[in-house]
Amino acid sequence: MKYIKYGWEELEVLENASVPITKQDTTDVLFGFAHLNAGCDMKGNYGGFSFRLYRSGLIIVQEYLFGEILAEERRYCVPQTCTDEIKQYYSENQDTLFSLFAPDNGSCDGSFSEFFFGNEWISALNIDYHTEKDFIRAHKAYQGTQNYRANFRANVARELEKNPQAVNDQSFQIAMKMAQSFEDNQESFEEIKRIMLEENKIMTVFFSICDILKKYDIILEQFRVTVKGVSTTTYSDFMKSFHKEHRK
């Protein structure tokens, strides 16, 4: 989609006619995916896309402006062999599919990924597939954080021991609260690892479906989809055009 700049009145019309992807009718939807901007942005900026494959072979691709405002919709079709392959994958992996869930990974903004594997939408914020190197980096980061927190608590305790009157100082009271919060919010690396592994389960299923779709000239990725040679925009594409326009 070529990014279109709408006026406020046009945006209001589009917004009133839009239905969020997770609230749309999922009757006969075999597989669905959406990548949406979950951060703070201006109404009218690029907001992401959704992809739905129906049991009949119908494909609906929708692109949004920020706030899940529907800007464009395109329709395609794949042969029944494509949907049969996905049904077969579902049948062979039922136990995995029904155990999928998106754990809280600590994110508060960024991008939403919505997955539909034949039953219900799974919403995940900043989800990714984690390699062995990612686990090693996460462990090093965890150790660094734990060391920082331990040193911070020790410094606060030493300062209080040297100067008991510091407890009346407002800035020191803030430091004490921080030290206590570090103590109260201890998260084990095993919990972090569990979250990463749960995200990997979702992404493994997603990639498996993408591999099936690729056989039928549909290239579905986390940040864009290309069907029959026509690609959706990405947020980075939008930002490049946005900056280019405002540098003139």
Side-chain angles (χ1 to χ4, degrees):
M1 180 185 91
K2 185 179 185 301
Y3 173 70
I4 300 172
K5 196 173 190 178
Y6 291 96
W8 288 107
E9 290 184 1
E10 296 168 312
L11 283 172
E12 187 174 353
V13 171
L14 287 170
E15 186 174 21
N16 290 335
S18 299
V19 179
I21 182 66
T22 53
K23 294 184 180 179
Q24 294 181 19
D25 185 7
T26 56
T27 304
D28 293 328
V29 173
L30 180 64
F31 167 73
F33 175 72
H35 175 75
L36 306 168
N37 181 0
C40 295
D41 214 327
M42 291 286 291
K43 184 185 287 189
N45 285 357
Y46 186 71
F49 76 93
S50 69
F51 174 96
R52 277 173 292 158
L53 170 63
Y54 290 79
R55 295 178 183 277
S56 64
L58 171 67
I59 290 173
I60 298 180
V61 176
Q62 295 180 330
E63 293 201 77
Y64 305 95
L65 302 175
F66 180 70
E68 290 193 78
I69 301 172
L70 180 60
E72 184 173 315
E73 180 176 294
R74 294 189 296 278
R75 298 188 174 210
Y76 307 91
C77 193
V78 290
Q80 203 64 44
T81 51
C82 177
T83 58
D84 287 345
E85 284 192 58
I86 293 174
K87 289 176 187 176
Q88 182 66 26
Y89 176 82
Y90 285 172
S91 177
E92 294 171 355
N93 295 275
Q94 283 188 10
D95 290 344
T96 299
L97 291 172
F98 284 101
S99 67
L100 294 177
F101 73 98
D104 182 1
N105 61 14
S107 297
C108 56
D109 63 5
S111 60
F112 260 124
S113 292
E114 307 276 2
F115 304 86
F116 187 88
F117 299 123
N119 41 28
E120 61 182 18
W121 287 102
I122 299 172
S123 300
L125 192 55
N126 297 326
I127 190 172
D128 206 350
Y129 184 84
H130 308 285
T131 65
E132 189 61 36
K133 287 183 178 179
D134 293 327
F135 282 96
I136 293 171
R137 281 195 292 266
H139 189 251
K140 287 181 178 178
Y142 172 80
Q143 289 179 319
T145 299
Q146 292 302 101
N147 290 338
Y148 169 78
R149 290 181 170 186
N151 289 335
F152 188 91
R153 291 196 302 268
N155 289 335
V156 169
R158 278 196 297 269
E159 182 62 29
L160 190 59
E161 186 178 347
K162 286 192 302 182
N163 182 16
Q165 296 303 315
V167 72
N168 298 317
D169 183 80
Q170 188 174 6
S171 60
F172 190 75
Q173 288 174 1
I174 294 173
M176 289 175 64
K177 287 180 180 179
M178 284 183 63
Q180 186 59 51
S181 70
F182 290 162
E183 189 72 38
D184 295 340
N185 296 293
Q186 292 284 352
E187 184 179 36
S188 70
F189 181 71
E190 286 305 310
E191 175 62 16
I192 295 171
K193 186 177 179 180
R194 184 190 67 81
I195 290 170
M196 296 171 75
L197 289 171
E198 290 296 338
E199 290 189 341
N200 278 5
K201 288 181 185 177
I202 295 172
M203 295 307 297
T204 297
V205 174
F206 173 69
F207 292 147
S208 297
I209 303 298
C210 291
D211 287 342
I212 295 172
L213 293 171
K214 193 174 182 179
K215 301 177 188 177
Y216 299 89
D217 199 22
I218 300 165
I219 312 301
L220 178 58
E221 305 166 274
Q222 265 189 281
F223 306 107
R224 83 162 78 228
V225 60
T226 303
V227 184
K228 312 299 182 185
V230 179
S231 298
T232 55
T233 307
T234 64
Y235 189 74
S236 59
D237 291 339
F238 157 70
M239 289 306 296
K240 286 176 186 175
S241 64
F242 180 84
H243 288 307
K244 186 176 181 181
E245 176 187 344
H246 288 272
R247 279 198 297 266
K248 292 179 181 178

